[in-house]
Structure formats: structure tokens, C-alpha cells
Amino acid sequence: MTSATMNNQPKQLIDVQDLHVSFRQGPARVPAVDGASFSMAPGEMLALVGESGSGKSVTALSILGLLPRPAALVEQGHILFHGQDVLGMNDAQLRQIRGNRISMIFQEPMTALNPVLTVGWQIAEVLRLHRGISAKDARVQAIALLDKVGIPDPASRHDDYPHQLSGGMRQRVMIAIALACQPELLIADEPTTALDVTVQAQIMDLIARLRHEYGTAVLLITHNLALVREQADRIAVMYAGSIVEQAPRDELFARPAHPYTRLLLRSLPHSGQRGQRLASISGSVPKLSDIGPGCPFAPRCPLAQPRCRDERPANTTVGEAHLAACHFATQAMAAAIPADAIPAIATGELLLDIRDLRVWFPIHHGFLSRVQGHVRAVDGVSLQLRRGETLALVGESGCGKTTVGKALVRLAKATAGAAVLSGAGDVLALDHHAMHAVRKRIQMIFQDPFSSLNPRLTIGESITEGMDAHRIGANAAERRARAEAIMAKVGLPAAALGRYPHQFSGGQRQRIGLARALAVEPDVVICDECTSALDVSVQAQILNLLKDIQHEFHLAYLFITHDLSVVGYLADRVAVMYLGHVVEEGLAHEVLDTPAHPYTRALLAAAPHIDGSDATRPAPRLSGDVPSPASPPTGCPFHTRCPIAQDQCQQAMPPQTALSPTHHCHCLFPQR
Amino acid sequence: MHYWLLQNSITIALLLVLAASAWQLSRRETWRIAAREIRHNRLALASFAILALYGGIAVLDSVGWRRPVINPETGDVARHTQTGAVVYDQGASALDALLKPIRGMREKTYSAPFSDRQFSAVTDIGPDGRAQRVRPPLNHPRRHLMGTDRVGMDVFYQGLKSIRTGMIIGLLTTLLAVPFAILFGVCAGYFGGWLDDAAQYLCAVLSSIPTVLFIAAFMIIFGQGLPQLCLAMGIASWTGLYRLLRGETLRLRDADFVQAATATGVPVWRILSRHIVPNLLHIVLITTVLRFSSEVLAEAALTYLGIGVGADTMSWGSMINDARTELTRDPVIWWKLTTAFAFMIGLVLPANIFADAVRDALDPRLRTQ
């Protein structure tokens, strides 16, 4: 790159040209980024969107020279920052840029801050390092920054340690550190993935506000297309190490050109797709080492032609500033895949009746570990579940939704209440022997596909284990045959039974988790966030599978999730939980379309929507965090954050208000 | 012949148990795959060969017999004057019989490896009547691979004879400590409650007693000897592994796959044996092998304090203990320490390499095929 060409693009803040990065794995080199090119103008927000393994984080780390050495190797390419190649800089030059002119926010606010230093000190450190100001001035500036990122009472928070702050507050502190030197470029790597929806919305608003205030360009790295819909100026979609499509935001959402982008957009579940099968992309993101000479998406592309497998497509201009790396990008592809309907499931008899369930965890303190109080994880929850029905239990982290699921299978001990399973009596009061028979009927699928399977057992051993315990099948051969049949149902080959969990992708493992649950012929399956760890395209596959399986076996699902878009697609009924209480319950369309409780309204407002209807948000965003369940507020648990709270809300828990025969909420001022 | 069987019953029983458990394991799929995996690992194979050699020597040294003492004058079997029982000699192991040529090669005192002369000079009256300092020639010149010690015994022979002591200390202590650590660690971690409290208090009490003091007291009460030493060291050393296993079990207990198994109704003993213990094995293997080496070293330290194995048992510890004074001489007598060191490294290093290979082979995530 000569200086002449550099002067031709004076406007570009950063220009990534044909970046190739690979990782050493033993003697082999596995590519991670395979020819990524993009550029950003000052003050622009570019969203780099891709599924896990697409190389988006590696691209970001290369900009800051933070690639792990010597494992990672930049094979070729340039990253020009103001026309200077970052890749050629030495450590001293890079340190001048890092945190000063380019800074970064990481995904996990829990580990990104040093736990033994106060947050104020960590902000001041950056200022003293790059601005060389005195400790006293740094303190003043750090407090000002804390105020700017919306931390209440910044002067006293300055001397707090990270553990004293909530996840959302820590992410605010991270942003304060990143923006301390007013950088020209902020790289945000999945900044809200670890946060709840209401907090996610706060953080995204904060980034947007500060971006305009400081004129900082933002490179937002995310897997969440809906999040990008609101704030990004331009979007670049990454797949298998290269950028397959980039366009201004509205252009991309209106006229996606690459089949991958089209499918990704269509595989996002929302309530408009009820009763339809989600468009899912078969298979999962390939390893870059397995990709042939052709288009990396060709093996999963429903429109792939022979040419796609042999020839790498170049960037084609589809519209204004709209590039797509596809041979057929300019051809109309609207009728790519027809959406087929899923037959509606008739709900049957009442299977599970949960009455006033309470799970309190004792807090032990002091001499002889006396009980000093209780964490009221679940505090009086009543729900009914019918055969063939999906009941979604929705709430933010810490609201007790997972504890409800665990109490039903007695992984957590219920303090009070009953859960009557038809034909078996109260599950929570059964003795050990009777409970063993019930375990067969209530099964659970877990969130993390990587920790839910024993790494040292083959898939076959994991699946037949439950059959062994319940003496299903006369002998080992019969159980094996049954396991093979179940594997076929969840879409995996019988040969998979002899393999170990690490040989499968996340989506495949979640299929195995479902197969393990189905092996004992349950009536109720508790799905605990079972799609939230998966990529969007894989999530669609699993959601489709869950629907098919429910139809075939006439199962009841208790679907525990924080993701409202999945709820709208999958659930028949929805129960919204806050601080151990169900605040609103009703049919899915009732709760999602006409929410009555202010918390439900806020939750729906905070969730990013793909259809772009967020311009007319029905309710303001929530401020603050969920109070601790160890010392819940008196009266209505939500009154501390409620925009319409009155004095009487603090007096007592609001009684149940019926809005329709199927829809009720606990609020003194329900909104209709 | 039956005398021979009787005298070696413990060794034979141990060998039979070992063979039986090896046969049992070889029928299991996981271990068969692991064995295949190890066969492809040259370093592990070499380590195994060295370990087998050490093991073979230890077994040979454990198989022995005593012969009746023959009265040299009458040619009859000697009998106790009062009881009339047959008097036996000190006894010799199979290894002693094999090493007889080396054992017999006695010198007067120190000699360097492969030397043909004694290490220290003596004053001698030469043929001309003048006193002169000479280094007298050895009885067995250039035959001592690692030289001889103060009393003229072959050092290499001592090293070989110490193998059995080292192996017994390493293995017996481990065999005593590991089952305790697994039992307490897994139960305390998985069941929690009063069981956890009890195990924690027991562990805290044991750890608060200084190890050396505990072993010294133990040896004073129960007498000095190899079995007592192993027992004392075993009791004193299970707490470290116990803590590791308890912590890991606590983590595993809340792992989703254990919760899933519980929710499916898998019995507790099956959860422990299929889900918890196999996922602890890597810790057990590594700790065991690391401990194996530190226990061989601890034996040396204890011998130095005079509470190790008895003076009549050859061990690397006692060799190192002897070398203490030799190292202060000028010129330094280095070969006894070096020999003990080389023999110990020769055992500990392959043990580490082999244990690593076994751990990797047992982990399905790390298998190459």
C-alpha cells in the first residue's frame, strides 16, 4: 500500500483489507479468518454479525493486535488505522493506540474487571497511563465518567469493588474505561450477550448516546441480528471467516441478497410465525479447514449450483454500498423456501398442577452456621400444565424460573406448596421409592449443551442409562434398538450412539439431550433455556424439532426462557416471572400482544425486534436492576422499578386480576 | 518346595490380585481402547518398559527363600539347642542369587566408578624402605560400575537392592492413601451435610499434626520397619488428595450431566461410579504419581532423621543419607548420591510420563482415533 492510495481514502478511519488469520493446532494450521475486508468511516457504527466460529471476534482482536501468540498467525492482509498498518506495529506503538485511540468492551463483565481493585482505580489507570494526569485529577474525571455512563451516586461507587456491582453496572464501568480517553474507535465484542434483556436495552442505549456525544466509531460484534436492527449504520454479515454481505442497515433488512443472510433473517423466531415451521439452515457452521475451493456456504445453501462448489464467489454490487459474495446475488430469490405449516396440537387433560410453590434457600452465617435469612427464589407460584401444551416461563436471570423447573424434578428442595402430577399425587411430597417412578414421567433438558453430557460416556451409554434405571426394554439389545429409534426421531444417525459428546456440535448435543429425555417416555419435558446457547440457525432447527416431537409424543413442555421471540413462536401460554412471583399469565397472544403488567410491557419493549417496529415502543425502558431475592421489596415486588407505582403498591402483594378467562395478572393498575 | 511357597505367599497373592484386576480391566471397552491408544505412543511404551523392568526387579527381590544352616563340621542340618527347631540362614531373594557375582565383589573402602585403584591413599613402606602414599589396587579393578562405598560395597548393587524398598514405599503408601481419599472425598463432596463436616474435621485434625512428628511417633509406637513406615505415610498423606477430590466432586455434583442423571432416576451408586469417579480419575492419576515421587523423597528425609526404614534395609533414602558426609569431603565422593538420584529419576520420570499417557488415553476428548 503506497501513500498515494492512502491519501485517496482520507475518510476511512479503519480499513481491513483481505485479512487472513489462522491458528496453529499441532502441525496443522486452521484458518479462522479467511479474507475479510471492510472499512469504517469516523463516527460510524458497523455491526459485524455472525454465528459462533465465523471469525468475527478474531477479526476484532487482530485490529488491536491482541491475537494470542504464537498460536495465531496473520497470514496476509492489512489493517489500516488512519492509513497506518496496525499489523506492522511493535508493542510500544500498539500500546499507544490500545485503550487510547481504539478501545474494547468484552462480552463478560464479570471477568473483565480486576476483582481486587476498585472500579474507580481501574478507570483512573487508563487516564493516568494515556493522559499522564495526576491521581487527584484522575479521580475527578473517573467520577465524571461514572456519572456519564449512568451509574447512580458515582462518588461513592468510585470506591466500590467489582463484586459490589451488578452485571449491568459492571458493563457500564467497562464502557467508562473504554471511553475514558475518548477513542476514535470502540470495539464492542458481544457487549450485551451476558446481560438480561432490560439491561441489554439500557446498555445499547448508553452506547448509542455516548457514540453521538463523543463522535466515536463503534464496531459492534454480535450474533444477534435483532440487536443490530436498532442502532447500526451498516451491517457486515460474516460466515466461515469471510464477509458474505455488507450493506447499510435498512438496505440489508429490506433486500438481503446473500442466501445466508436471507435464511438467517427468516430463522429468527417471532410470534408472526406461530404454526409455521421456521426456515432453518441445515447443518452447522463448518470448520474452516473443511471448506473446499468454492463458496463456504455452498454445503448448507438450498440454492447452491455446481458452480458454487468449485468457484469462490467475488463481491458483487447489488445496490448502493451493498455488496454480497454470491454468484447469484442479483437474481431474485424471494421464493427460496416455502414455509410449511405445523399441525396444531390439541391440548388434553391436566397433567401437572403446581400450587403455591415456594423454594427458599437458607442463608447461613456466623457461629455454627445459623440460618440468618432466606433467598426467596420462588415465592408462591401456581401454574397448570396440560398434555400437548407448551407453557413458557419467562423472566430475567434471578427471577426463579429455573428453580421452579428444578423443584419439579426435586433437584431443588421445595419449601412449601404442591405439584400434583395426574395419577401420581404431589410430586414434592413423594417418598424416595414413589419418586423414582415419577422421574420417568418428568424429564429435563438443560441449557448448556457442553456440560449436560458426561464427556466420558458414549452417547449410547448416556441414552440407555435412563432406560436401565427404569427397566424399559427387556435386555440390552432391546434398549439399544430403542435408542437407535429415538436417535432417528431427533435426526441423528444410529452410528452416533458409539461416539462421545465432544465429537458433536452444540446443536447436535441438544438433540442428544432431547433423545436422552425421550428415552424414558416422559409426559412432561422441562426445557431450561435449551436453545439460548445455540446459534440462530441451529436454534431454529431445535425449535422445529421440539414442535415435531411434541406433536408426535403429545408431550407437555414447560419452556423456561428469557428470550421473548422464542416464546412468541413456540408457546401456547406464557407466564411472566419477576422475583419469584408470576406477575402475569395468559395465552401467548394475550400476554404478548396485550400485556397488562408494567413489567411484561417493559420486557417486551426492551427485547429487540427484527421487524423494525421499535420506533413506537409501548413503554419506557426499565431503569436499575432486579432487587436481591434475599431481601425482596415489600408489597408488589416490582414497585421499585415500576414506572406507574403508587404508594399502595408497597403495602401488599396485589391480588390476582382477571382480564379474560385465560389471562390474569397481579397488578393494581393493569393496563388494557 | 512347600517352604518356598509359604515364605512367598504374600508376594504370590499380590501378583495374583494384580493379574486378576488386569484381566478384569482388559475386558472393559474403555480400557481396551486406552491400551490401544498407549500402544501407539512410543514414549509411553518406553516408559512402560522401564517401569516393567523396575517392577520385575522388585518382584525378584521379593521372592526369596531361606536355607537350613548346615553345620560345617558334621554336615548335618543345624538345630536349635533347646527347641530342636531347624536353624535357617539369613535368607536371600532371587535377585540376590542373580547378583551374587556383584555382591561378592568387596573392596576395603571407597573407590571411584570403573577405577582400578582405591580412592584414598594409604601409607606404605616402599621397597627402598621409605614411607610413601600410594593408592592400593582393588580386588576387582574396573568392575564397579558405580564405584564402592565406605565399607567397600558395590554402589550399583545397593541401588538395585533399593528398588524394592522404593517401589514398596511408593505403591503401598499410595494404595493405602488413594482409596481413603476417594471414599472420603467423593462422599463428602456428593452427600455434603454432616458427612462433609465430619470428613473436614478429621482432615483438619490430621493436617494440623506435623507429618514428620506424626510418623516419628508412629514408628516409635509400632516399631521401625517398612510396613509401619508405609502405613504412617499413608495415613499422613491422604488429606491433600482428599481436598482436591472433594472440591472437584462439589463442582461435578452441580454439573448438568449429573443433574440430568439424577432427574432421570439413576441410582446414587451408579451416579457415583459412572458420572463422578471417572471424571475424577485424571486428578487421582496425576496426584498419585506426583505423590509417588515425593514419598520416595520423603523416605530419604525420614531416614536422615533416623525414623525411616531400618538400618538393615537398603534404600535410596539411606544412600542419600550416607552421601551427606561424603559430599563434605574433598575431593567429593559423588557417586553414591548420583547413583541413588539416577535410580530415583529412572523410576519417577517414566512413572510420570506413563501416567500422563494413561490419563490422556482414558479421556475420550483427547483420543487420536
Side-chain angles (χ1 to χ4, degrees):
Chain A
M1 176 126 280
T2 61
S3 57
T5 23
M6 268 181 246
N7 294 336
N8 288 343
Q9 308 159 321
K11 278 178 152 180
Q12 298 304 1
L13 173 70
I14 194 141
D15 193 5
V16 178
Q17 298 172 344
D18 196 29
L19 184 69
H20 288 255
V21 182
S22 66
F23 280 84
R24 285 199 186 89
Q25 260 181 18
R29 280 211 200 134
V30 181
V33 179
D34 197 17
S37 303
F38 63 90
S39 59
M40 286 174 73
E44 184 186 34
M45 184 186 242
L46 174 71
L48 201 56
V49 183
E51 297 182 277
S52 57
S54 61
K56 54 192 192 301
S57 286
V58 176
T59 307
L61 290 173
S62 336
I63 294 175
L64 274 178
L66 286 174
L67 289 173
R69 285 174 204 284
L73 200 73
V74 178
E75 304 263 356
Q76 65 180 78
H78 300 280
I79 298 176
L80 304 180
F81 179 64
H82 282 300
Q84 257 190 314
D85 197 344
V86 175
L87 297 175
M89 288 186 187
N90 60 29
D91 278 355
Q93 287 170 308
L94 278 172
R95 272 198 299 274
Q96 282 302 311
I97 290 182
R98 285 182 198 153
N100 186 17
R101 304 179 66 186
I102 306 179
S103 58
M104 189 154 180
I105 317 173
F106 296 93
Q107 173 174 356
E108 194 52 76
M110 298 298 163
T111 53
L113 289 168
N114 187 338
V116 299
L117 298 173
T118 63
V119 293
W121 196 94
Q122 295 184 56
I123 299 171
E125 185 188 24
V126 188
L127 289 166
R128 282 157 57 186
L129 211 66
H130 291 297
R131 293 281 177 268
I133 59 178
S134 72
K136 210 172 157 188
D137 291 344
R139 185 187 164 90
V140 175
Q141 284 203 24
I143 292 174
L145 274 164
L146 284 172
D147 189 35
K148 194 143 251 174
V149 295
I151 288 188
D153 194 11
S156 71
R157 284 298 188 187
H158 178 275
D159 298 318
D160 276 357
Y161 288 90
H163 74 267
Q164 293 167 293
L165 304 179
S166 69
M169 300 256 260
R170 280 185 235 192
Q171 200 60 295
R172 285 170 191 272
V173 171
M174 281 307 299
I175 292 171
I177 292 175
L179 294 180
C181 294
Q182 308 197 0
E184 292 153 81
L185 174 63
L186 173 69
I187 301 174
D189 188 0
E190 304 266 10
T192 60
T193 305
L195 304 173
D196 283 317
V197 250
T198 53
V199 184
Q200 165 175 303
Q202 295 168 12
I203 297 291
M204 286 312 296
D205 286 348
L206 176 68
I207 292 178
R209 182 165 63 79
L210 293 177
R211 168 167 91 96
H212 292 303
E213 200 166 310
Y214 290 134
T216 306
V218 179
L219 178 60
L220 177 70
I221 292 159
T222 183
H223 67 281
N224 190 342
L225 265 172
L227 192 70
V228 162
R229 180 76 180 85
E230 295 181 21
Q231 274 139 358
D233 298 324
R234 258 181 343 119
I235 295 169
V237 180
M238 227 176 152
Y239 183 80
S242 57
I243 290 172
V244 293
E245 181 164 7
Q246 48 184 316
R249 174 187 62 183
D250 295 333
E251 165 80 10
L252 187 96
F253 280 99
R255 283 176 292 281
H258 198 281
Y260 176 66
T261 319
R262 285 167 171 260
L263 279 166
L264 207 56
L265 284 169
R266 291 188 51 184
S267 63
L268 289 171
H270 58 87
S271 39
Q273 286 165 310
R274 289 187 61 78
Q276 282 180 4
R277 190 174 291 271
L278 287 173
S280 65
I281 310 177
S282 61
S284 52
V285 181
K287 287 193 191 114
L288 261 70
S289 49
D290 302 340
I291 288 176
C295 170
F297 189 59
R300 298 175 75 193
C301 183
L303 305 166
Q305 305 286 325
R307 183 182 167 202
C308 296
R309 295 194 175 83
D310 304 328
E311 191 188 331
R312 191 78 181 245
N315 271 334
T316 319
T317 307
V318 199
E320 196 192 338
H322 187 170
L323 298 173
C326 178
H327 291 308
F328 309 103
T330 45
Q331 295 172 19
M333 296 189 307
I337 312 140
D340 50 348
I342 294 180
I345 303 163
T347 50
E349 83 275 12
L350 184 65
L351 260 184
L352 191 61
D353 187 10
I354 306 165
R355 296 176 203 146
D356 198 30
L357 176 69
R358 282 165 209 270
V359 185
W360 292 9
F361 296 112
I363 307 169
H364 296 280
H365 260 309
F367 187 59
L368 290 176
S369 320
R370 270 176 309 186
V371 178
Q372 302 278 312
H374 286 95
V375 173
R376 302 179 179 195
V378 180
D379 204 14
V381 163
S382 300
L383 295 168
Q384 283 79 39
L385 192 59
R386 295 175 180 279
R387 190 179 287 281
E389 177 188 55
T390 303
L391 171 64
L393 202 53
V394 190
E396 295 180 279
S397 59
C399 73
K401 56 190 192 299
T402 295
T403 313
V404 170
K406 290 202 165 167
L408 292 179
V409 288
R410 300 247 298 248
L411 287 172
K413 198 175 173 308
T415 315
V420 179
L421 183 70
S422 71
D426 182 6
V427 173
L428 306 177
L430 292 176
D431 64 23
H432 187 78
H433 187 74
M435 187 62 205
H436 185 75
V438 166
R439 290 207 179 282
K440 175 180 167 315
R441 295 181 57 194
I442 309 181
Q443 281 295 303
M444 196 156 177
I445 308 174
F446 293 83
Q447 170 175 9
D448 183 359
F450 294 90
S451 74
S452 62
L453 290 166
N454 186 341
R456 284 170 198 264
L457 293 185
T458 62
I459 303 309
E461 285 170 323
S462 282
I463 289 179
T464 50
E465 189 174 57
M467 296 194 237
D468 287 343
H470 293 286
R471 301 200 174 75
I472 296 170
N475 51 40
E478 201 170 304
R479 281 178 206 136
R480 180 89 182 172
R482 283 184 53 89
E484 284 178 15
I486 292 166
M487 288 299 266
K489 290 256 186 291
V490 300
L492 288 171
L497 288 173
R499 286 192 240 142
Y500 286 90
H502 68 98
Q503 294 166 295
F504 296 90
S505 68
Q508 286 172 321
R509 288 191 205 198
Q510 224 46 326
R511 287 172 191 265
I512 294 164
L514 182 59
R516 177 175 58 186
L518 292 176
V520 293
E521 303 166 329
D523 296 323
V524 179
V525 176
I526 299 168
C527 306
D528 185 5
E529 301 267 14
C530 67
T531 59
S532 56
L534 302 176
D535 284 319
V536 183
S537 68
V538 181
Q539 167 176 299
Q541 295 170 11
I542 299 295
L543 289 176
N544 282 337
L545 178 66
L546 282 172
K547 280 238 168 182
D548 291 342
I549 294 285
Q550 179 174 41
H551 184 244
E552 181 161 356
F553 294 93
H554 217 57
L555 297 172
Y557 285 144
L558 180 62
F559 198 86
I560 298 167
T561 185
H562 69 278
D563 188 347
L564 283 162
S565 57
V566 174
V567 170
Y569 165 69
L570 192 75
D572 301 306
R573 286 195 302 125
V574 177
V576 181
M577 270 188 89
Y578 186 79
L579 265 187
H581 297 271
V582 171
V583 294
E584 180 165 3
E585 190 191 342
L587 297 178
H589 67 86
E590 288 175 331
V591 175
L592 299 179
D593 299 340
T594 55
H597 196 282
Y599 177 64
T600 315
R601 296 171 72 86
L603 209 57
L604 284 164
H609 293 278
I610 200 68
D611 45 15
S613 63
D614 44 80
T616 53
R617 281 175 181 275
R621 296 208 166 158
L622 282 188
S623 59
D625 293 298
V626 184
S628 161
S631 52
T634 55
C636 172
F638 187 59
H639 80 80
T640 54
R641 296 171 78 195
C642 184
I644 56 165
Q646 307 283 331
D647 283 347
Q648 63 249 56
C649 293
Q650 300 179 27
Q651 309 299 325
M653 178 75 195
Q656 183 171 315
T657 314
L659 303 150
S660 82
T662 48
H663 187 191
H664 53 82
C665 76
H666 288 268
C667 183
L668 294 173
F669 312 103
Q671 311 191 1
R672 297 169 204 245
Chain B
M1 194 62 198
H2 63 281
Y3 274 121
W4 186 87
L5 271 178
L6 208 65
Q7 284 162 1
N8 296 296
S9 53
I10 295 178
T11 314
I12 291 166
L14 273 175
L15 284 177
L16 283 178
V17 168
L18 199 70
S21 41
W23 183 71
Q24 270 290 328
L25 287 184
S26 74
R27 293 184 352 151
R28 294 223 192 130
E29 181 68 20
T30 2
W31 288 86
R32 272 221 301 273
I33 295 171
R36 206 184 318 142
E37 193 83 354
I38 289 169
R39 276 202 291 274
H40 289 284
N41 183 343
R42 278 193 199 165
L43 196 61
L45 274 188
S47 303
F48 181 74
I50 298 173
L51 287 179
L53 183 69
Y54 269 83
I57 293 173
V59 169
L60 282 179
D61 206 9
S62 304
V63 179
W65 53 85
R66 297 173 155 212
R67 290 178 202 280
V69 176
I70 308 292
N71 189 327
E73 289 167 23
T74 59
D76 290 341
V77 172
R79 282 178 188 280
H80 198 275
T81 45
Q82 278 156 12
T83 59
V86 179
V87 178
Y88 290 95
D89 65 4
Q90 230 183 358
S93 68
L95 186 71
D96 291 331
L98 283 174
L99 295 181
K100 213 164 187 175
I102 315 183
R103 188 156 65 129
M105 295 192 303
R106 293 298 288 259
E107 307 295 342
K108 284 214 178 58
T109 181
Y110 292 119
S111 68
F114 280 117
S115 176
D116 55 352
R117 288 180 175 275
Q118 208 167 287
F119 180 70
S120 45
V122 294
T123 309
D124 192 25
I125 309 296
D128 51 356
R130 280 165 57 185
Q132 56 182 7
R133 299 286 288 174
V134 290
R135 294 171 57 205
L138 295 178
N139 301 337
H140 306 274
R142 302 190 189 285
R143 283 284 180 279
H144 298 291
L145 189 61
M146 295 307 289
T148 56
D149 68 357
R150 191 167 53 81
V151 293
M153 201 195 271
D154 189 273
V155 171
F156 185 69
Y157 168 75
Q158 289 180 35
L160 283 176
K161 280 292 280 182
S162 304
I163 286 177
R164 175 174 176 267
T165 319
M167 293 284 276
I168 285 183
I169 288 176
L171 285 179
L172 206 58
T173 316
T174 307
L175 280 181
L176 282 168
V178 167
F180 267 105
I182 294 183
L183 186 73
F184 280 103
V186 169
C187 289
Y190 187 79
F191 296 107
W194 65 267
L195 209 63
D196 189 22
D197 290 344
Q200 286 288 78
Y201 281 119
L202 182 65
C203 177
V205 168
L206 270 178
S207 326
S208 64
I209 306 172
T211 314
V212 173
L213 213 61
F214 173 77
I215 294 174
F218 196 92
M219 303 285 269
I220 289 164
I221 298 167
F222 296 101
Q224 217 163 11
L226 201 50
Q228 290 93 322
L229 180 68
C230 291
L231 195 59
M233 284 169 64
I235 293 171
S237 65
W238 63 272
T239 50
L241 180 58
Y242 155 79
R243 283 211 184 91
L244 284 177
L245 294 183
R246 175 180 171 271
E248 187 68 8
T249 307
L250 274 176
R251 194 184 66 80
L252 285 172
R253 186 182 65 173
D254 291 330
D256 283 346
F257 63 85
V258 174
Q259 303 247 304
T262 313
T264 310
V266 178
V268 169
W269 62 270
R270 260 186 104 80
I271 288 177
L272 292 182
S273 66
R274 281 186 76 167
H275 292 285
I276 306 261
V277 173
N279 282 298
L280 295 173
L281 267 186
H282 63 286
I283 299 182
V284 174
L285 261 172
I286 291 172
T287 323
T288 305
V289 172
L290 286 179
R291 271 251 314 279
F292 184 89
S293 17
S294 66
E295 253 138 32
V296 172
L297 293 172
E299 186 266 330
L302 291 169
T303 308
Y304 172 75
L305 293 172
I307 49 171
V309 289
D312 50 346
T313 313
M314 279 185 225
S315 74
W316 295 316
S318 48
M319 287 172 75
I320 292 170
N321 191 24
D322 292 345
R324 185 166 48 96
T325 49
E326 295 167 1
L327 285 176
T328 57
R329 288 176 63 128
D330 190 40
V332 165
I333 293 165
W334 48 268
W335 47 89
K336 198 158 184 176
L337 183 77
T338 314
T339 309
F341 194 66
F343 270 97
M344 279 167 64
I345 289 271
L347 177 59
V348 169
L349 190 64
N352 273 306
I353 294 172
F354 189 65
D356 263 3
V358 171
R359 181 203 55 181
D360 291 355
L362 282 177
D363 192 335
R365 284 164 291 192
L366 297 174
R367 273 178 206 152
T368 49
Q369 54 218 271

